[in-house]
Amino acid sequence: MSAYSSRQAVVRSWLSENDVCAMVISSAANIRYLSGFTGEGHLVLFAGGGGLCTDGRYELQAAEESPELDCVLSSDGHLGAVIEYARAQGVERLGFEENVVTYAAYRRLEEEFGADALRATSSITQDARTVKDDDEIARIRRAAGIVDEALTGFLDQLQPGMTEKEAAFELDRRILTGGADAIAFQTILASGPSAACPHARPSSRVLREGDMVKVDVGGRVDGYCSDITRTVFLGDPDERFVEVYSLVYEAQGAALERVGPGAECRELDEIARQIISDGGYGDAFSHGLGHGVGLEVHEAPRLSARSTDTLAPGMVVTVEPGVYLEGWGGVRIEDLVLVTERGYEVLTGTPKWRDDCGR
Ligand code: ZN
Ligand code: ZN
């Protein structure tokens, strides 16, 4: 059985358990996960097979990437192809992804099949994607390794004088020439007070002596992402930076140590949050502790106060506490971690500012 057919089995067992003939999958990441297809369109799976509903631009690509699936083209667009294909297969009940399908597309399906024939699903494929196989882990590991090499060299040479945009561009260049297929998301590089914004975009601000610099970056290899944040200081840090950095560092280490099979994501968030609260900065940790990483930079499971997820071997998650103070700046430390049978393995290895203190 190929990796794709065993992944498709998860959807097929949902179909048979729920007496539904076919499922239309519309999320690009889910389509890639289930079929290997990287073009645009929808994937329709039914008990005995399936098809990619796409257009002429992707016909050759579909045949190459997913030779076992039908390639369905229609003059009526991707959704038109879904409808024609489902009709030709005699589909009476159709599952769809409620978090992905637009209202307009839903209305069209409702018109064609009737509301009673449609079954909303929320996260069948997303849940399956949380546990990575060896091949997926190898791609994430490679993406993380390429970024480590680029980021380590970049931080070693980071000096006042460049703008945030120039510095971010230089880091992206190193990641791409280092072998990544793409940058996984727009690089966050924020200096001085701009670092107070957790997801700041690089600006024309010039890096100065006495700035903290927060860098959050990822690479993509064969579809799979990595994600890492480092915060450094240009020159001699003031007391407050050392205080905040040490607190975030301690919170991250404490949460990391508890990563392992059976760990509750909510509790990991609580461990880090408690340390930061005890240090007097509880309100300044304004986001969850982390998230799953794979075909998407942010995917299940969620590490947050409201999460009901539990870690299992093969999951890849970030651990990234932060403290953000308006008018001052912010510190975040993020690592990418693989949950193993016995505990965890950190996949990101760029030295941290405190590990390397005094450089
Ligand atoms: Zn990140
Ligand atoms: Zn992240």
Side-chain angles (χ1 to χ4, degrees):
M1 207 194 248
S2 80
Y4 296 123
S5 39
S6 56
R7 290 174 187 178
Q8 290 169 16
V10 176
V11 175
R12 293 207 170 88
S13 53
W14 184 89
L15 291 176
S16 70
E17 280 160 23
N18 291 276
D19 195 25
V20 173
C21 320
M23 167 88 84
V24 52
I25 290 113
S26 308
S27 141
N30 287 347
I31 292 170
R32 180 169 190 161
Y33 179 77
L34 292 167
S35 72
F37 180 59
T38 59
E40 293 173 21
H42 304 272
L43 166 65
V44 176
L45 290 178
F46 53 91
L52 288 164
C53 300
T54 180
D55 62 77
R57 293 173 300 165
Y58 299 109
E59 194 175 2
L60 284 175
Q61 193 178 323
E64 257 171 45
E65 292 176 337
S66 315
E68 73 291 354
L69 293 171
D70 298 329
C71 180
V72 189
L73 308 178
S74 165
S75 54
D76 189 18
H78 297 162
L79 198 60
V82 169
I83 291 164
E84 288 165 25
Y85 186 58
R87 288 238 179 274
Q89 303 295 330
V91 166
E92 284 167 12
R93 271 191 286 274
L94 186 63
F96 68 96
E97 299 173 313
E98 65 178 1
N99 299 321
V100 185
V101 168
T102 63
Y103 185 61
Y106 175 81
R107 289 288 299 272
R108 175 99 197 269
L109 293 173
E110 190 183 33
E111 233 167 67
E112 294 287 340
F113 296 97
D116 292 346
L118 300 178
R119 294 284 188 280
T121 67
S122 60
S123 60
I124 301 167
T125 311
Q126 283 91 331
D127 289 347
R129 277 169 45 199
T130 58
V131 173
K132 274 73 181 172
D133 64 26
D134 290 347
D135 176 58
E136 293 177 290
I137 292 166
R139 296 180 197 198
I140 296 170
R141 196 188 289 282
R142 174 137 173 75
I146 289 168
V147 171
D148 272 338
E149 183 148 357
L151 182 58
T152 303
F154 169 81
L155 291 176
D156 273 347
Q157 292 178 14
L158 188 63
Q159 297 285 348
M162 269 190 186
T163 67
E164 290 177 354
K165 276 186 194 170
E166 286 166 345
F169 185 74
E170 168 59 14
L171 177 55
D172 289 356
R173 187 193 67 75
R174 288 176 185 245
I175 291 169
L176 292 172
T177 56
D181 298 328
I183 305 299
F185 52 90
Q186 189 183 4
T187 297
I188 296 167
L189 191 147
S191 60
S194 307
C197 177
H199 272 196
R201 265 191 224 110
S203 75
S204 304
R205 186 181 186 281
V206 176
L207 303 183
R208 289 191 281 261
E209 182 84 9
D211 276 347
M212 66 193 83
V213 183
K214 185 184 69 193
V215 185
D216 187 347
V217 66
R220 196 183 281 272
V221 170
D222 288 336
Y224 285 78
C225 303
S226 71
D227 191 5
I228 181 173
T229 305
R230 290 292 181 262
T231 307
V232 297
F233 201 92
L234 300 178
D236 292 328
D238 53 51
E239 248 172 58
R240 192 169 207 191
F241 182 81
V242 175
E243 181 199 355
V244 170
Y245 191 94
S246 304
L247 195 58
V248 173
Y249 184 91
E250 188 195 338
Q252 202 225 8
L256 264 179
E257 261 176 36
R258 297 285 290 276
V259 168
E264 290 187 22
C265 294
R266 186 185 53 75
E267 276 178 29
L268 296 175
D269 182 277
E270 174 61 26
I271 289 165
R273 204 166 295 280
Q274 191 62 53
I275 290 172
I276 290 175
S277 291
D278 291 348
Y281 292 96
D283 293 340
F285 178 14
S286 53
H287 54 72
L289 179 68
H291 52 87
V293 175
L295 284 167
E296 292 176 290
V297 182
H298 294 114
E299 56 180 53
R302 298 282 164 180
L303 282 67
S304 72
R306 286 164 166 258
S307 177
T308 54
D309 298 325
T310 302
L311 295 183
M315 287 183 174
V316 175
V317 299
T318 68
V319 176
E320 50 176 308
V323 165
Y324 312 93
L325 300 168
E326 205 184 331
W328 177 75
V331 171
R332 177 164 69 251
I333 307 170
E334 173 179 32
D335 282 297
L336 192 58
V337 191
L338 167 68
V339 182
T340 62
E341 294 289 342
R342 308 175 64 170
Y344 67 95
E345 179 193 342
V346 180
L347 301 179
T348 37
T350 302
K352 293 173 190 169
W353 176 77
R354 207 178 84 165
D355 293 339
D356 205 20
C357 204
R359 78 188 166 78

